[in-house]
Amino acid sequence: MVFVENLHTSLPSGGATTPILYAALSHCWGTTAHCKTTKATLSERKACIPMSSLNRTFADAVTATRALGLKYLWIDSLCIIQDSVQDWEKESATMCWVYGSAYVNIAAKSASDGDTGFLHTRPIVDMCSMKPAAGKTNCLLGNFWIRPERRESQSQTDSKLSSRAWCYQEMLLTPRILSFEANHITVECRLSFRAEGDQRPRLRGFGDTKKENFSRIVTQPITSDEERRIAFTTWKLIVEEYSGKDLTFERDKLPAISGVASQFGAAIKSRYLAGLWEGDLLGSLCWVSIAHEIEVKAGTYRAPSWSWASQVSAVYYYLFATDTWDAEILDCSVDLVSDEYGQVKDGSISLRATVLAGTLTLTPFVDPDANRPWYMFSTGDDETAPVYCPLFRLDDLARNFSGTVQSWMCHLGDGRVLVLKKLDGGLYQRFGFFWGWDYDWSCVERVVVTII
Protein backbone atom coordinates (compact mmCIF):
# COMPACT_ATOMS: atom_id res chain seq x y z
CA MET A 1 0.00 0.00 0.00
CA VAL A 2 1.29 3.50 -0.81
CA PHE A 3 1.04 6.09 1.98
CA VAL A 4 0.05 9.38 0.30
CA GLU A 5 -0.71 11.78 3.17
CA ASN A 6 2.68 13.50 3.14
CA LEU A 7 4.16 15.65 0.40
CA HIS A 8 6.07 12.59 -0.79
CA THR A 9 4.67 9.06 -0.88
CA SER A 10 6.11 5.87 0.56
CA LEU A 11 5.48 2.15 1.04
CA PRO A 12 4.71 1.60 4.73
CA SER A 13 6.57 -1.20 6.49
CA GLY A 14 4.76 -4.02 8.30
CA GLY A 15 1.10 -4.98 8.18
CA ALA A 16 -1.78 -2.85 9.38
CA THR A 17 -3.08 -3.75 12.84
CA THR A 18 -6.51 -2.20 12.17
CA PRO A 19 -8.60 -2.00 8.98
CA ILE A 20 -7.73 0.99 6.82
CA LEU A 21 -9.59 2.81 4.08
CA TYR A 22 -7.70 2.96 0.80
CA ALA A 23 -8.16 3.55 -2.91
CA ALA A 24 -7.02 1.20 -5.68
CA LEU A 25 -5.94 2.35 -9.13
CA SER A 26 -6.99 0.72 -12.41
CA HIS A 27 -4.78 1.94 -15.23
CA CYS A 28 -3.17 1.02 -18.54
CA TRP A 29 0.55 0.41 -18.33
CA GLY A 30 1.17 1.22 -21.98
CA THR A 31 4.70 1.06 -23.36
CA THR A 32 6.16 4.03 -21.50
CA ALA A 33 8.60 3.54 -18.62
CA HIS A 34 7.22 4.29 -15.18
CA CYS A 35 8.05 4.07 -11.51
CA LYS A 36 7.98 0.52 -10.17
CA THR A 37 9.23 -1.48 -7.21
CA THR A 38 11.99 -4.06 -7.72
CA LYS A 39 14.14 -6.03 -5.33
CA ALA A 40 16.83 -3.37 -5.66
CA THR A 41 14.49 -0.42 -5.00
CA LEU A 42 12.26 -1.94 -2.28
CA SER A 43 14.08 -0.31 0.67
CA GLU A 44 14.16 3.01 -1.15
CA ARG A 45 10.42 2.83 -1.91
CA LYS A 46 9.61 2.12 1.76
CA ALA A 47 11.48 5.26 2.78
CA CYS A 48 10.20 7.71 0.19
CA ILE A 49 8.76 7.90 -3.30
CA PRO A 50 9.25 11.46 -4.60
CA MET A 51 6.20 12.79 -6.44
CA SER A 52 8.57 13.92 -9.19
CA SER A 53 9.47 10.26 -9.88
CA LEU A 54 5.85 9.28 -10.58
CA ASN A 55 4.39 9.36 -14.05
CA ARG A 56 1.42 11.64 -14.62
CA THR A 57 -1.24 8.94 -14.15
CA PHE A 58 0.23 7.84 -10.82
CA ALA A 59 0.60 11.47 -9.66
CA ASP A 60 -3.03 12.16 -10.61
CA ALA A 61 -4.08 9.08 -8.63
CA VAL A 62 -2.25 10.40 -5.57
CA THR A 63 -3.96 13.78 -6.00
CA ALA A 64 -7.38 12.13 -6.31
CA THR A 65 -6.75 9.91 -3.27
CA ARG A 66 -5.81 12.90 -1.13
CA ALA A 67 -8.88 14.83 -2.37
CA LEU A 68 -11.06 11.92 -1.24
CA GLY A 69 -9.58 12.19 2.25
CA LEU A 70 -7.82 8.82 2.06
CA LYS A 71 -4.28 8.11 3.21
CA TYR A 72 -3.48 4.95 1.25
CA LEU A 73 -3.43 3.96 -2.40
CA TRP A 74 -2.82 0.62 -4.12
CA ILE A 75 -0.86 0.75 -7.39
CA ASP A 76 0.16 -2.62 -8.78
CA SER A 77 3.58 -1.68 -10.14
CA LEU A 78 4.55 -0.08 -6.83
CA CYS A 79 2.95 -2.57 -4.42
CA ILE A 80 4.14 -5.76 -6.18
CA ILE A 81 7.86 -6.45 -6.55
CA GLN A 82 8.07 -6.55 -10.32
CA ASP A 83 11.15 -8.77 -10.69
CA SER A 84 10.08 -11.34 -8.08
CA VAL A 85 8.06 -14.29 -9.39
CA GLN A 86 7.36 -15.38 -5.82
CA ASP A 87 5.93 -11.98 -4.82
CA TRP A 88 3.90 -11.75 -8.04
CA GLU A 89 2.33 -15.18 -7.45
CA LYS A 90 1.56 -14.32 -3.81
CA GLU A 91 0.05 -10.91 -4.59
CA SER A 92 -1.88 -11.93 -7.71
CA ALA A 93 -3.64 -14.56 -5.60
CA THR A 94 -4.94 -11.80 -3.29
CA MET A 95 -6.50 -9.55 -5.94
CA CYS A 96 -10.02 -10.48 -4.80
CA TRP A 97 -9.20 -8.94 -1.40
CA VAL A 98 -7.13 -6.02 -2.68
CA TYR A 99 -9.86 -4.70 -4.98
CA GLY A 100 -12.82 -6.19 -3.15
CA SER A 101 -11.81 -4.46 0.10
CA ALA A 102 -10.86 -1.10 -1.41
CA TYR A 103 -13.00 1.86 -0.37
CA VAL A 104 -13.02 3.03 -3.98
CA ASN A 105 -11.43 2.09 -7.28
CA ILE A 106 -9.99 5.00 -9.26
CA ALA A 107 -10.43 4.07 -12.93
CA ALA A 108 -8.13 6.12 -15.17
CA LYS A 109 -10.25 5.57 -18.28
CA SER A 110 -9.04 8.66 -20.11
CA ALA A 111 -5.36 7.69 -19.71
CA SER A 112 -4.07 5.42 -22.47
CA ASP A 113 -0.70 5.06 -20.71
CA GLY A 114 1.23 6.31 -17.70
CA ASP A 115 2.26 9.60 -19.27
CA THR A 116 -1.24 10.69 -20.25
CA GLY A 117 -2.81 11.23 -16.84
CA PHE A 118 -6.52 11.64 -16.22
CA LEU A 119 -6.95 14.98 -14.42
CA HIS A 120 -7.25 17.24 -17.46
CA THR A 121 -8.44 20.78 -17.97
CA ARG A 122 -12.06 20.65 -19.09
CA PRO A 123 -13.10 22.31 -22.35
CA ILE A 124 -14.83 25.64 -21.78
CA VAL A 125 -18.61 25.30 -21.84
CA ASP A 126 -21.06 27.85 -23.14
CA MET A 127 -23.46 29.64 -20.84
CA CYS A 128 -26.87 30.94 -21.78
CA SER A 129 -29.53 32.80 -19.86
CA MET A 130 -33.18 31.74 -19.90
CA LYS A 131 -35.77 34.50 -19.87
CA PRO A 132 -39.55 34.07 -19.67
CA ALA A 133 -41.49 34.22 -22.91
CA ALA A 134 -44.16 36.83 -23.25
CA GLY A 135 -47.11 35.99 -21.02
CA LYS A 136 -45.36 33.02 -19.36
CA THR A 137 -44.79 33.06 -15.62
CA ASN A 138 -44.35 29.37 -14.66
CA CYS A 139 -41.17 28.66 -16.62
CA LEU A 140 -37.62 27.84 -15.46
CA LEU A 141 -35.35 30.86 -15.20
CA GLY A 142 -31.64 31.35 -14.62
CA ASN A 143 -28.26 30.58 -16.17
CA PHE A 144 -27.52 27.26 -17.87
CA TRP A 145 -24.23 25.75 -18.96
CA ILE A 146 -24.25 23.72 -22.17
CA ARG A 147 -21.69 21.02 -22.90
CA PRO A 148 -21.31 18.33 -25.61
CA GLU A 149 -23.68 15.39 -25.34
CA ARG A 150 -22.34 12.55 -23.17
CA ARG A 151 -22.75 9.15 -24.80
CA GLU A 152 -22.53 6.60 -22.01
CA SER A 153 -22.24 3.48 -24.19
CA GLN A 154 -19.45 5.01 -26.26
CA SER A 155 -17.45 6.17 -23.24
CA GLN A 156 -17.62 2.72 -21.66
CA THR A 157 -16.38 0.86 -24.74
CA ASP A 158 -13.92 3.34 -26.30
CA SER A 159 -11.65 3.46 -23.25
CA LYS A 160 -8.42 1.47 -23.62
CA LEU A 161 -8.88 0.49 -19.98
CA SER A 162 -12.08 -1.37 -20.86
CA SER A 163 -10.14 -3.60 -23.28
CA ARG A 164 -7.69 -4.91 -20.66
CA ALA A 165 -8.29 -8.28 -18.99
CA TRP A 166 -6.77 -7.39 -15.61
CA CYS A 167 -8.83 -4.20 -15.47
CA TYR A 168 -12.02 -6.12 -16.29
CA GLN A 169 -11.49 -8.15 -13.12
CA GLU A 170 -10.77 -5.03 -11.07
CA MET A 171 -14.05 -3.43 -12.18
CA LEU A 172 -16.03 -6.52 -11.17
CA LEU A 173 -14.41 -6.88 -7.77
CA THR A 174 -14.44 -3.34 -6.43
CA PRO A 175 -17.54 -2.16 -4.49
CA ARG A 176 -17.25 1.44 -5.78
CA ILE A 177 -15.75 2.83 -8.98
CA LEU A 178 -14.83 6.45 -9.60
CA SER A 179 -14.18 6.70 -13.35
CA PHE A 180 -12.30 9.63 -14.84
CA GLU A 181 -13.30 9.79 -18.50
CA ALA A 182 -12.35 12.33 -21.14
CA ASN A 183 -14.91 15.03 -20.29
CA HIS A 184 -16.80 13.79 -17.25
CA ILE A 185 -16.69 11.65 -14.12
CA THR A 186 -18.93 8.71 -13.24
CA VAL A 187 -19.40 6.92 -9.93
CA GLU A 188 -20.97 3.52 -9.46
CA CYS A 189 -21.50 0.95 -6.74
CA ARG A 190 -23.16 -2.45 -6.56
CA LEU A 191 -26.60 -0.85 -6.36
CA SER A 192 -26.53 2.22 -8.59
CA PHE A 193 -24.68 4.25 -11.21
CA ARG A 194 -24.45 8.02 -11.55
CA ALA A 195 -22.77 10.15 -14.17
CA GLU A 196 -21.77 13.75 -13.78
CA GLY A 197 -24.80 15.84 -14.68
CA ASP A 198 -27.38 13.16 -13.85
CA GLN A 199 -30.23 14.50 -11.74
CA ARG A 200 -30.59 11.19 -9.88
CA PRO A 201 -28.74 7.85 -9.66
CA ARG A 202 -29.74 4.96 -11.90
CA LEU A 203 -30.24 1.55 -10.36
CA ARG A 204 -27.50 -1.01 -11.02
CA GLY A 205 -28.49 -3.71 -13.49
CA PHE A 206 -29.89 -1.33 -16.11
CA GLY A 207 -28.14 -3.18 -18.93
CA ASP A 208 -25.32 -4.89 -16.98
CA THR A 209 -26.95 -8.11 -15.78
CA LYS A 210 -23.61 -9.91 -15.37
CA LYS A 211 -22.28 -7.42 -12.83
CA GLU A 212 -25.61 -7.24 -11.03
CA ASN A 213 -25.80 -11.04 -10.77
CA PHE A 214 -22.14 -11.37 -9.75
CA SER A 215 -22.59 -8.84 -6.95
CA ARG A 216 -25.64 -10.70 -5.68
CA ILE A 217 -23.97 -14.12 -5.94
CA VAL A 218 -20.92 -13.11 -3.88
CA THR A 219 -22.85 -11.15 -1.25
CA GLN A 220 -25.98 -13.26 -0.70
CA PRO A 221 -26.28 -17.00 0.10
CA ILE A 222 -27.31 -19.37 -2.71
CA THR A 223 -30.35 -21.21 -1.34
CA SER A 224 -31.91 -23.02 -4.32
CA ASP A 225 -31.02 -25.06 -7.41
CA GLU A 226 -32.36 -22.26 -9.60
CA GLU A 227 -30.04 -19.72 -7.98
CA ARG A 228 -27.15 -22.13 -8.48
CA ARG A 229 -28.07 -22.53 -12.16
CA ILE A 230 -28.16 -18.74 -12.56
CA ALA A 231 -24.75 -18.54 -10.87
CA PHE A 232 -23.15 -20.96 -13.35
CA THR A 233 -24.79 -19.12 -16.25
CA THR A 234 -23.45 -15.82 -14.92
CA TRP A 235 -19.93 -17.28 -14.82
CA LYS A 236 -20.22 -18.32 -18.47
CA LEU A 237 -21.36 -14.82 -19.46
CA ILE A 238 -18.42 -13.33 -17.54
CA VAL A 239 -16.05 -15.74 -19.34
CA GLU A 240 -17.47 -14.70 -22.73
CA GLU A 241 -16.77 -11.03 -22.01
CA TYR A 242 -13.44 -11.59 -20.27
CA SER A 243 -12.05 -13.93 -22.94
CA GLY A 244 -12.18 -11.11 -25.49
CA LYS A 245 -10.02 -8.79 -23.39
CA ASP A 246 -6.34 -8.10 -24.05
CA LEU A 247 -3.39 -9.55 -22.14
CA THR A 248 0.26 -8.58 -22.47
CA PHE A 249 1.27 -12.10 -21.41
CA GLU A 250 -0.95 -15.01 -22.49
CA ARG A 251 0.16 -17.01 -19.46
CA ASP A 252 -1.98 -14.60 -17.39
CA LYS A 253 -5.23 -15.95 -18.87
CA LEU A 254 -6.26 -17.63 -15.61
CA PRO A 255 -4.44 -15.37 -13.09
CA ALA A 256 -6.11 -12.24 -14.49
CA ILE A 257 -9.56 -13.60 -13.56
CA SER A 258 -8.46 -15.47 -10.41
CA GLY A 259 -9.82 -12.85 -8.02
CA VAL A 260 -13.31 -13.11 -9.52
CA ALA A 261 -13.05 -16.92 -9.52
CA SER A 262 -12.00 -16.92 -5.85
CA GLN A 263 -15.03 -14.92 -4.75
CA PHE A 264 -17.27 -16.98 -7.02
CA GLY A 265 -15.93 -20.28 -5.67
CA ALA A 266 -16.53 -19.22 -2.07
CA ALA A 267 -20.16 -18.51 -2.97
CA ILE A 268 -21.04 -21.61 -5.00
CA LYS A 269 -18.92 -24.12 -3.02
CA SER A 270 -17.62 -25.90 -6.11
CA ARG A 271 -14.10 -27.04 -7.12
CA TYR A 272 -12.39 -24.82 -9.67
CA LEU A 273 -10.78 -26.60 -12.60
CA ALA A 274 -8.75 -24.32 -14.89
CA GLY A 275 -11.64 -21.92 -15.52
CA LEU A 276 -14.48 -24.47 -15.20
CA TRP A 277 -16.57 -25.55 -12.21
CA GLU A 278 -16.91 -29.17 -11.14
CA GLY A 279 -20.58 -28.66 -10.30
CA ASP A 280 -21.33 -27.73 -13.93
CA LEU A 281 -18.52 -29.53 -15.72
CA LEU A 282 -20.35 -30.95 -18.74
CA GLY A 283 -22.14 -27.66 -19.37
CA SER A 284 -18.84 -25.82 -18.97
CA LEU A 285 -17.37 -27.79 -21.91
CA CYS A 286 -19.94 -26.33 -24.34
CA TRP A 287 -17.95 -23.33 -25.57
CA VAL A 288 -16.78 -22.41 -29.05
CA SER A 289 -13.95 -20.20 -30.22
CA ILE A 290 -15.37 -17.30 -32.24
CA ALA A 291 -12.37 -15.59 -33.86
CA HIS A 292 -11.30 -17.05 -37.20
CA GLU A 293 -7.99 -15.23 -37.70
CA ILE A 294 -5.69 -15.65 -34.72
CA GLU A 295 -2.01 -16.15 -34.05
CA VAL A 296 -1.20 -19.01 -31.66
CA LYS A 297 2.23 -18.58 -30.09
CA ALA A 298 4.06 -21.87 -29.84
CA GLY A 299 5.09 -22.85 -26.35
CA THR A 300 2.60 -20.57 -24.56
CA TYR A 301 0.71 -22.99 -22.33
CA ARG A 302 -2.39 -21.51 -20.77
CA ALA A 303 -4.67 -24.41 -19.85
CA PRO A 304 -5.78 -27.92 -20.92
CA SER A 305 -7.46 -28.08 -24.34
CA TRP A 306 -10.89 -28.65 -22.74
CA SER A 307 -10.74 -25.28 -20.96
CA TRP A 308 -11.78 -22.02 -22.62
CA ALA A 309 -8.59 -20.56 -21.10
CA SER A 310 -6.55 -22.58 -23.62
CA GLN A 311 -7.73 -20.23 -26.36
CA VAL A 312 -6.10 -17.02 -27.51
CA SER A 313 -9.37 -15.92 -29.09
CA ALA A 314 -12.64 -15.03 -27.40
CA VAL A 315 -15.17 -17.78 -26.73
CA TYR A 316 -18.93 -18.09 -26.84
CA TYR A 317 -20.99 -20.41 -24.65
CA TYR A 318 -24.00 -22.43 -25.74
CA LEU A 319 -26.55 -22.02 -22.96
CA PHE A 320 -29.23 -24.71 -22.72
CA ALA A 321 -32.55 -24.54 -20.93
CA THR A 322 -32.27 -28.17 -19.82
CA ASP A 323 -29.32 -30.32 -18.79
CA THR A 324 -29.76 -33.66 -20.55
CA TRP A 325 -26.44 -35.46 -20.55
CA ASP A 326 -25.42 -38.80 -22.00
CA ALA A 327 -21.76 -38.57 -20.96
CA GLU A 328 -20.54 -39.33 -17.44
CA ILE A 329 -17.59 -37.58 -15.80
CA LEU A 330 -15.28 -40.17 -14.20
CA ASP A 331 -12.41 -37.97 -13.08
CA CYS A 332 -11.01 -34.49 -13.51
CA SER A 333 -7.76 -33.04 -12.20
CA VAL A 334 -5.42 -30.11 -12.71
CA ASP A 335 -1.78 -29.66 -11.70
CA LEU A 336 -1.48 -26.19 -10.17
CA VAL A 337 1.52 -23.87 -10.29
CA SER A 338 0.61 -22.47 -6.86
CA ASP A 339 -2.72 -20.67 -6.43
CA GLU A 340 -5.90 -22.74 -6.73
CA TYR A 341 -7.38 -20.14 -9.07
CA GLY A 342 -4.20 -19.22 -10.95
CA GLN A 343 -1.86 -20.81 -13.47
CA VAL A 344 -1.92 -24.54 -14.15
CA LYS A 345 0.77 -26.88 -15.49
CA ASP A 346 -1.62 -29.40 -17.06
CA GLY A 347 -4.95 -31.12 -16.49
CA SER A 348 -7.18 -33.94 -17.69
CA ILE A 349 -10.82 -35.00 -17.85
CA SER A 350 -11.86 -38.66 -18.10
CA LEU A 351 -15.42 -39.37 -19.17
CA ARG A 352 -17.51 -42.27 -20.42
CA ALA A 353 -19.45 -41.39 -23.56
CA THR A 354 -20.48 -42.57 -27.01
CA VAL A 355 -17.58 -41.81 -29.36
CA LEU A 356 -17.67 -42.01 -33.16
CA ALA A 357 -14.40 -42.27 -35.12
CA GLY A 358 -13.96 -40.71 -38.55
CA THR A 359 -12.22 -37.99 -40.53
CA LEU A 360 -12.66 -34.25 -40.66
CA THR A 361 -12.09 -32.71 -44.08
CA LEU A 362 -11.75 -29.10 -45.18
CA THR A 363 -14.32 -28.56 -47.93
CA PRO A 364 -14.23 -26.05 -50.80
CA PHE A 365 -17.49 -24.56 -49.52
CA VAL A 366 -17.59 -21.20 -47.76
CA ASP A 367 -20.30 -19.87 -45.49
CA PRO A 368 -21.63 -16.91 -47.54
CA ASP A 369 -22.79 -15.02 -44.44
CA ALA A 370 -19.62 -15.30 -42.35
CA ASN A 371 -17.04 -15.87 -45.15
CA ARG A 372 -15.63 -18.90 -43.33
CA PRO A 373 -14.75 -22.33 -44.73
CA TRP A 374 -16.76 -25.40 -43.73
CA TYR A 375 -15.69 -28.86 -42.65
CA MET A 376 -17.26 -32.28 -43.22
CA PHE A 377 -17.07 -35.25 -40.87
CA SER A 378 -17.24 -38.73 -42.37
CA THR A 379 -17.31 -42.11 -40.65
CA GLY A 380 -15.31 -43.61 -43.51
CA ASP A 381 -17.73 -46.44 -44.18
CA ASP A 382 -20.34 -46.86 -46.90
CA GLU A 383 -22.74 -44.56 -45.07
CA THR A 384 -21.29 -41.10 -44.79
CA ALA A 385 -22.61 -39.00 -41.93
CA PRO A 386 -21.81 -35.39 -42.87
CA VAL A 387 -21.48 -32.64 -40.30
CA TYR A 388 -20.88 -29.19 -41.66
CA CYS A 389 -18.98 -27.06 -39.14
CA PRO A 390 -18.13 -23.35 -39.59
CA LEU A 391 -14.51 -22.55 -38.84
CA PHE A 392 -15.38 -20.59 -35.70
CA ARG A 393 -16.60 -23.82 -34.11
CA LEU A 394 -13.11 -25.30 -34.22
CA ASP A 395 -10.59 -24.41 -31.55
CA ASP A 396 -7.52 -22.23 -32.12
CA LEU A 397 -4.95 -24.99 -32.71
CA ALA A 398 -7.35 -26.97 -34.92
CA ARG A 399 -7.47 -24.25 -37.55
CA ASN A 400 -3.93 -24.82 -38.71
CA PHE A 401 -4.75 -28.03 -40.56
CA SER A 402 -5.84 -28.38 -44.18
CA GLY A 403 -6.99 -31.43 -46.09
CA THR A 404 -8.10 -34.30 -43.84
CA VAL A 405 -7.43 -35.18 -40.21
CA GLN A 406 -8.46 -38.21 -38.15
CA SER A 407 -10.97 -37.17 -35.51
CA TRP A 408 -13.50 -38.48 -33.00
CA MET A 409 -16.98 -37.17 -32.19
CA CYS A 410 -17.71 -37.43 -28.44
CA HIS A 411 -21.42 -37.10 -27.67
CA LEU A 412 -22.10 -35.27 -24.39
CA GLY A 413 -25.87 -35.47 -24.71
CA ASP A 414 -28.84 -33.97 -26.60
CA GLY A 415 -26.81 -33.38 -29.78
CA ARG A 416 -23.92 -31.63 -27.99
CA VAL A 417 -20.66 -32.96 -29.42
CA LEU A 418 -16.97 -32.47 -28.63
CA VAL A 419 -14.62 -32.85 -31.60
CA LEU A 420 -11.47 -34.71 -30.47
CA LYS A 421 -8.07 -35.56 -31.91
CA LYS A 422 -6.23 -38.64 -30.69
CA LEU A 423 -2.73 -38.22 -29.26
CA ASP A 424 -0.01 -40.67 -28.32
CA GLY A 425 -0.70 -42.86 -25.31
CA GLY A 426 -4.43 -43.12 -25.93
CA LEU A 427 -5.08 -39.54 -24.82
CA TYR A 428 -7.24 -37.00 -26.65
CA GLN A 429 -7.08 -33.29 -27.36
CA ARG A 430 -10.16 -31.16 -27.79
CA PHE A 431 -10.50 -29.94 -31.38
CA GLY A 432 -13.84 -28.14 -31.31
CA PHE A 433 -17.50 -28.25 -30.32
CA PHE A 434 -20.84 -28.15 -32.13
CA TRP A 435 -24.48 -28.72 -31.35
CA GLY A 436 -27.51 -29.99 -33.22
CA TRP A 437 -26.33 -33.09 -35.12
CA ASP A 438 -29.32 -35.38 -35.56
CA TYR A 439 -27.59 -38.76 -35.25
CA ASP A 440 -28.68 -42.05 -33.70
CA TRP A 441 -26.12 -42.37 -30.92
CA SER A 442 -27.82 -45.42 -29.42
CA CYS A 443 -25.92 -47.68 -31.84
CA VAL A 444 -22.52 -46.21 -30.94
CA GLU A 445 -20.28 -47.88 -28.37
CA ARG A 446 -19.71 -46.15 -25.03
CA VAL A 447 -16.01 -45.88 -24.19
CA VAL A 448 -13.80 -44.04 -21.73
CA VAL A 449 -11.76 -41.12 -23.13
CA THR A 450 -9.22 -38.92 -21.35
CA ILE A 451 -8.87 -35.36 -22.69
CA ILE A 452 -5.85 -33.23 -21.87
Side-chain angles (χ1 to χ4, degrees), residues 160-175:
K160 186 176 180 181
L161 196 69
S162 66
S163 69
R164 305 300 301 173
W166 282 100
C167 295
Y168 177 80
Q169 168 175 255
E170 295 161 9
M171 299 302 179
L172 269 181
L173 291 173
T174 189

Side-chain angles (χ1 to χ4, degrees), residues 23-27 61 64-65 68 73 104-108 118 176 178 180:
L25 176 66
S26 288
H27 67 104
T65 301
L68 290 168
L73 171 65
V104 66
N105 175 264
I106 298 172
F118 57 86
R176 303 174 192 86
L178 184 62
F180 291 86

Side-chain angles (χ1 to χ4, degrees), residues 168-351:
Y168 177 80
Q169 168 175 255
E170 295 161 9
M171 299 302 179
L172 269 181
L173 291 173
T174 189
R176 303 174 192 86
I177 304 172
L178 184 62
S179 298
F180 291 86
E181 307 197 25
N183 294 316
H184 68 280
I185 298 172
T186 64
V187 61
E188 58 183 294
C189 65
R190 286 173 173 159
L191 295 178
S192 63
F193 171 94
R194 189 166 189 170
E196 186 178 345
D198 286 352
Q199 292 184 351
R200 62 182 62 88
R202 284 167 281 175
L203 291 178
R204 163 62 65 201
F206 186 74
D208 193 354
T209 308
K210 292 182 293 296
K211 189 161 189 175
E212 177 191 16
N213 285 345
F214 174 75
S215 297
R216 184 173 61 251
I217 289 164
V218 300
T219 57
Q220 301 177 18
I222 296 176
T223 58
S224 68
D225 291 342
E226 177 62 15
E227 289 179 351
R228 190 172 176 82
R229 185 192 66 79
I230 291 174
F232 286 132
T233 298
T234 299
W235 174 257
K236 291 169 186 173
L237 296 176
I238 289 173
V239 164
E240 287 182 353
E241 196 165 45
Y242 167 77
S243 65
K245 304 298 183 181
D246 297 331
L247 284 165
T248 302
F249 304 105
E250 283 300 324
R251 63 176 180 268
D252 290 348
K253 196 81 168 188
L254 288 171
I257 197 69
S258 62
V260 174
S262 177
Q263 284 198 1
F264 207 91
I268 63 174
K269 305 296 190 296
S270 182
R271 187 161 66 115
Y272 190 65
L273 298 162
L276 283 59
W277 298 102
E278 188 175 34
D280 182 43
L281 198 48
L282 288 171
S284 296
L285 295 172
C286 300
W287 54 266
V288 293
S289 178
I290 59 177
H292 61 283
E293 292 184 2
I294 49 92
E295 178 185 357
V296 181
K297 298 177 182 179
T300 305
Y301 184 84
R302 292 168 292 276
S305 67
W306 41 264
S307 170
W308 57 266
S310 65
Q311 304 298 287
V312 175
S313 57
V315 302
Y316 169 83
Y317 259 105
Y318 280 93
L319 302 176
F320 303 98
T322 59
D323 291 334
T324 304
W325 304 108
D326 175 63
E328 174 190 3
I329 298 290
L330 302 178
D331 183 58
C332 185
S333 64
V334 292
D335 187 6
L336 303 171
V337 172
S338 57
D339 175 32
E340 175 185 1
Y341 299 99
Q343 289 178 312
V344 298
K345 299 176 182 177
D346 55 51
S348 65
I349 287 180
S350 295
L351 51 85

Side-chain angles (χ1 to χ4, degrees), residues 353-410:
T354 49
V355 178
L356 188 64
T359 56
L360 198 64
T361 304
L362 177 65
T363 74
F365 305 109
V366 175
D367 181 352
D369 296 325
N371 192 31
R372 298 184 179 103
W374 289 64
Y375 292 81
M376 184 182 75
F377 176 76
S378 172
T379 59
D381 53 24
D382 293 336
E383 290 188 14
T384 298
V387 175
Y388 293 98
C389 267
L391 181 60
F392 72 85
R393 289 182 180 173
L394 293 183
D395 299 346
D396 288 349
L397 292 174
R399 298 176 191 158
N400 297 328
F401 90 88
S402 60
T404 300
V405 64
Q406 191 76 15
S407 60
W408 282 257
M409 298 294 177
C410 177

